[in-house]
Amino acid sequence: MSEHKSTEPSKTTHFGFKTVNEHEKEKLVAGVFHSVAAKYDVMNDLMSFGVHRAWKRYTIEMSGVRTGHRVLDIAGGTGDLSFAFSRRVGPTGKVVLADINESMLKVGRDRLADRGVAGNLDVVQANAEVLPFPDDEFNVVTIAFGLRNVTHKDVALKEMLRVLKPGGRLLVLEFSKPTNDLLSKAYDTYSFKALPVMGKLVTQDADSYQYLAESIRKHPDQDTLQQMMYDAGFERVTYHNLTGGIVALHRGVKA
């Protein structure tokens, strides 16, 4: 009697505009950020003309983080938000900088050490879909420019809800959909023409910034992400468009 072999096809997902097997995406995304980690902050300033700093300041203000809070900064990369949060929570609070990518974490850890951050901050390599933290652990969870790289966004959102304390807040800062047609067309031209050229000049890697432009287009729009957060169990979900909807900040609360 011959052995039965499963004919179930491998599940696929998108990596930018390409279709890949789900198990491949994590490795491909890791390769992107390993390639650009050393110049990540320089490229952020160039790509956004420095405006990403204002987007992050707005996120920090909307978070409501205060002294003694516990904060999880998912996909925290080079540590911009973690640094600001560590100053806000003070010595009685705790900030966890989490990222799936080892290269990004190393850059973040070194930057934070250079800036004198120590006692109230931990650095953890973690997958947003399987967070290594107990239930009801954090007052605030943030994920800035990271959700679009997650394969199963619904799973990750439920994990973020799980680790929040009741009454805790999730803030998702992410590229989104421009609200004006003219701005959208100009943004498309900039994204697909200028970004890969910048990436090649600064990081010797045009492909990673081509992926960046493509991954933004595949990310759910504002209303879709709002509904996804409701579906995951969040309440009072709102969003605020920034820079004409090029970026949006979504905010949800755990009951």
Side-chain angles (χ1 to χ4, degrees):
M1 185 174 176
S2 61
E3 183 182 351
H4 174 70
K5 292 183 179 180
S6 173
T7 58
E8 183 180 342
S10 298
K11 291 184 178 179
T12 59
T13 187
H14 57 81
F15 174 73
F17 290 164
K18 299 174 185 173
T19 298
V20 298
N21 289 331
E22 282 188 350
H23 69 272
E24 290 182 299
K25 180 172 179 176
E26 186 176 314
K27 182 171 68 175
L28 291 167
V29 172
V32 168
F33 287 95
H34 176 72
S35 173
V36 304
K39 297 289 182 69
Y40 184 78
D41 291 316
V42 173
M43 278 298 293
N44 276 352
D45 281 329
L46 287 173
M47 288 188 304
S48 72
F49 306 100
V51 179
H52 76 99
R53 297 177 185 274
W55 298 332
K56 290 171 182 173
R57 281 196 300 272
Y58 183 72
T59 302
I60 292 160
E61 292 303 320
M62 289 292 289
S63 72
V65 168
R66 59 182 185 269
T67 302
H69 272 180
R70 299 180 68 85
V71 180
L72 173 61
D73 180 18
I74 300 174
T78 55
D80 286 348
L81 290 178
S82 290
F83 175 72
F85 286 138
S86 73
R87 299 177 72 179
R88 291 204 170 205
V89 304
T92 60
K94 174 66 72 173
V95 177
V96 178
L97 167 60
D99 202 294
I100 196 171
N101 188 274
E102 186 177 2
S103 299
M104 293 290 287
L105 275 182
K106 183 179 185 305
V107 173
R109 186 187 296 113
D110 291 347
R111 282 190 70 217
L112 291 166
D114 289 345
R115 298 171 87 174
V117 178
N120 68 353
L121 189 138
D122 290 337
V123 177
V124 176
Q125 187 169 3
N127 184 334
E129 296 180 22
V130 194
L131 293 172
F133 309 108
D135 297 354
D136 307 331
E137 178 74 2
F138 298 99
N139 302 96
V140 172
V141 173
T142 61
I143 180 166
F145 305 114
L147 187 61
R148 72 179 186 282
N149 297 312
V150 176
T151 302
H152 303 104
K153 296 174 181 60
D154 55 339
V155 174
L157 289 169
K158 288 176 183 176
E159 275 290 270
M160 295 174 208
L161 183 76
R162 179 184 66 78
V163 302
L164 275 169
K165 297 176 183 288
R169 294 171 298 284
L170 168 67
L171 292 100
V172 181
L173 181 67
E174 188 56 88
F175 292 108
S176 202
K177 302 294 184 275
T179 55
N180 176 280
D181 286 343
L182 285 176
L183 176 61
S184 183
K185 288 175 183 175
Y187 181 48
D188 279 347
T189 300
Y190 172 72
S191 298
F192 288 102
K193 300 294 185 184
L195 288 190
V197 173
M198 279 190 217
K200 184 168 181 59
L201 290 173
V202 177
T203 69
Q204 286 73 57
D205 183 354
D207 289 346
S208 289
Y209 287 92
Q210 180 73 25
Y211 163 73
L212 170 67
E214 293 177 2
S215 69
I216 292 169
R217 298 329 184 270
K218 298 295 287 186
H219 186 68
D221 65 17
Q222 290 92 324
D223 291 333
T224 303
L225 180 54
Q226 182 181 41
Q227 188 59 52
M228 289 174 69
M229 290 175 66
Y230 275 124
D231 291 345
F234 287 94
E235 298 187 353
R236 306 203 304 273
V237 181
T238 59
Y239 66 81
H240 300 271
N241 286 320
L242 306 173
T243 317
I246 287 174
V247 164
L249 176 67
H250 284 70
R251 186 174 182 267
V253 178
K254 179 174 178 175

